[in-house]
Amino acid sequence: MVLELSQISSYCGLTYMSLLTAFDVETVAGFVFGEDKDAHMSCLSHVKHGAALSVVWGLVSEEVAHATKESLVAIKDDLHNNQTKRWQAIGTLKHVLSFVNLPWELKKHTINFLLCITDGCVSGEYLGEHSEWSSYMPNIFTALQAIKMVIMYAPEPEVRKKSFALLKAVLADIPDTQRFDILKALITNTDSSSMIAIFIDIVRREMHMEVCNSTSVKEAPDSNNEMHPDMPFWTPSVLELVESVLRPPRGGPPSLPDASDAVLSALNLYRFVLMTESTGKTNRTGVLSRSNLVKAYNEWLLPLGTLVSGIMTENKNDYDQLAVDTVCTLNPLELVLYRCIELVEEKLKQSTT
């Protein structure tokens, strides 16, 4: 049946590229639905599922690919070399990854295909109009969410590993100026502490890379909060990100030990920013301003320290497995937390404004 459908698609002029970029898909859907297109918009996602699966079956079966008389190698090369088409393809193939009931084998082939077209692609700055690339970001964001779910639930370690590589590749393909906002949105829309920790760690790595690549960090004589054009991650927004984990919007300290992965990652990010700004004699994030130091000390670190100390005291003399696991989980967090407290206390002694 798949072979026959592929032949029909080919007969109708629907190439793999047109299916991936979704242009002809929407055109055909509009033709089929006619004047009632708006009333059938809810069906469009199913149409796009079908478009994505048509391509994936070509990846799975050589017979299906041969029936379409198309070169998947040429298509991969075209997508690899064209950012707009690549984003469109990612937006189409996300439907395979997000569809819960599809076999993992199909998702595995989709991951491999996406890795091929994003391998080595580093966006930097997108050269198109702002309105053009920004229109693709919602699709890219939902694609990243779909990849996130594969990382969390794929039964095979190799699939999870490749999915994580794909996550980083897609993020690298996003314009520098948008990448932080996308990561922040992913963190905000994630309940898993481990995934939040992964996203925060990616933020820290991005910031480290910007420091390494920017001579301005070493040469800038002034200390201000203005964003350097080559360092879009080094803004006050990073402190807001840390605060969202260490002092959740609902108020009070985070839930421990459940959120320990996210909290540890946020503390490591805060420590990294604090030490880097101090060493470089910069203050792009505002982390060294006295008001932010006082806020971090009184509202984030001390309440967290009280919570951690209480939990550790409660469990240190208890030898059941849950208590042992809790202590082991909080040990590294406690070490980083008290190092952060020491650093902030040191900076507060030096700060007069």
Side-chain angles (χ1 to χ4, degrees):
M1 181 180 290
V2 173
L3 183 61
E4 292 174 354
L5 287 172
S6 296
Q7 291 171 338
I8 292 171
S9 295
S10 181
Y11 177 78
C12 293
L14 292 172
T15 65
Y16 279 162
M17 186 61 74
S18 67
L19 289 170
L20 286 170
T21 56
F23 176 76
D24 285 350
V25 174
E26 294 183 6
T27 301
V28 171
F31 176 77
V32 172
F33 296 144
E35 295 180 357
D36 295 330
K37 180 181 177 181
D38 292 340
H40 294 88
M41 282 304 291
S42 60
C43 299
L44 189 57
S45 63
H46 297 294
V47 173
K48 291 184 177 180
H49 277 102
L53 284 171
S54 297
V55 178
V56 173
W57 273 113
L59 301 172
V60 175
S61 168
E62 290 185 8
E63 188 179 6
V64 171
H66 181 72
T68 62
K69 300 178 182 179
E70 293 197 64
S71 170
L72 284 169
V73 173
I75 290 171
K76 289 177 183 178
D77 288 342
D78 191 3
L79 293 173
H80 187 271
N81 295 323
N82 188 309
Q83 189 176 51
T84 299
K85 289 182 180 180
R86 187 166 61 249
W87 285 351
Q88 291 170 336
I90 292 170
T92 296
L93 291 173
K94 73 179 182 185
H95 294 289
V96 176
L97 301 180
S98 62
F99 202 94
V100 176
N101 295 324
L102 284 180
W104 281 106
E105 188 65 22
L106 295 181
K107 296 184 180 184
K108 187 188 302 184
H109 282 280
T110 303
I111 293 290
N112 289 336
F113 180 81
L114 288 171
L115 276 173
C116 285
I117 67 173
T118 56
D119 182 42
C121 296
V122 179
S123 174
E125 286 294 333
Y126 181 67
L127 299 178
E129 294 293 330
H130 178 279
S131 59
E132 183 181 349
W133 58 252
S134 62
S135 67
Y136 293 110
M137 288 304 106
N139 260 340
I140 295 296
F141 175 70
T142 52
L144 286 166
Q145 286 185 305
I147 296 168
K148 175 189 74 177
M149 300 308 290
V150 176
I151 294 172
M152 293 173 63
Y153 297 113
E156 298 178 19
E158 185 64 21
V159 177
R160 295 195 295 271
K161 181 179 178 180
K162 287 186 175 181
S163 298
F164 181 57
L166 177 60
L167 178 81
K168 293 189 290 184
V170 174
L171 283 168
D173 204 20
I174 296 172
D176 295 343
T177 53
Q178 293 293 302
R179 202 174 300 145
F180 178 82
D181 290 336
I182 290 290
L183 280 164
K184 187 175 181 181
L186 285 168
I187 291 168
T188 302
N189 290 275
T190 298
D191 294 325
S192 165
S193 176
S194 297
M195 279 307 307
I196 291 173
I198 288 173
F199 289 134
I200 293 176
D201 190 56
I202 291 174
V203 171
R204 183 173 58 83
R205 290 172 184 270
E206 288 278 352
M207 297 182 76
H208 180 261
M209 190 180 304
E210 287 181 354
V211 170
C212 293
N213 293 338
S214 178
T215 56
S216 66
V217 173
K218 297 179 181 179
E219 298 173 357
D222 59 333
S223 176
N224 56 59
N225 293 337
E226 294 181 6
M227 181 186 69
H228 189 278
D230 296 326
M231 303 181 73
F233 275 70
W234 287 86
T235 72
S237 295
V238 76
L239 296 184
E240 296 173 7
L241 177 60
V242 171
E243 182 176 28
S244 70
V245 176
L246 300 186
R247 192 170 184 268
R250 66 179 181 275
S255 175
L256 293 177
D258 296 343
S260 58
D261 287 342
V263 171
L264 177 58
S265 190
L267 287 170
N268 275 322
L269 176 59
Y270 181 74
R271 180 179 61 168
F272 168 74
V273 172
L274 186 60
M275 293 178 68
T276 303
E277 296 271 43
S278 299
T279 303
K281 294 182 172 57
T282 57
N283 194 25
R284 294 182 179 87
T285 62
V287 70
L288 294 177
S289 68
R290 184 171 181 82
S291 60
N292 281 332
L293 288 169
V294 170
K295 179 180 181 180
Y297 189 72
N298 291 329
E299 298 182 18
W300 308 349
L301 302 178
L302 289 186
L304 186 58
T306 301
L307 176 63
V308 171
S309 296
I311 295 174
M312 295 292 274
T313 300
E314 183 180 336
N315 289 277
K316 68 178 181 179
N317 295 322
D318 195 339
Y319 297 101
D320 69 43
Q321 191 59 48
L322 179 60
V324 172
D325 290 345
T326 298
V327 171
C328 290
T329 298
L330 293 182
N331 266 332
L333 189 155
E334 186 179 39
L335 291 173
V336 178
L337 171 61
Y338 286 119
R339 179 56 182 149
C340 287
I341 290 175
E342 290 172 359
L343 288 170
V344 172
E345 287 176 342
E346 180 183 329
K347 291 301 171 186
L348 282 172
K349 290 177 182 177
Q350 299 171 1
S351 174
T352 57
T353 59

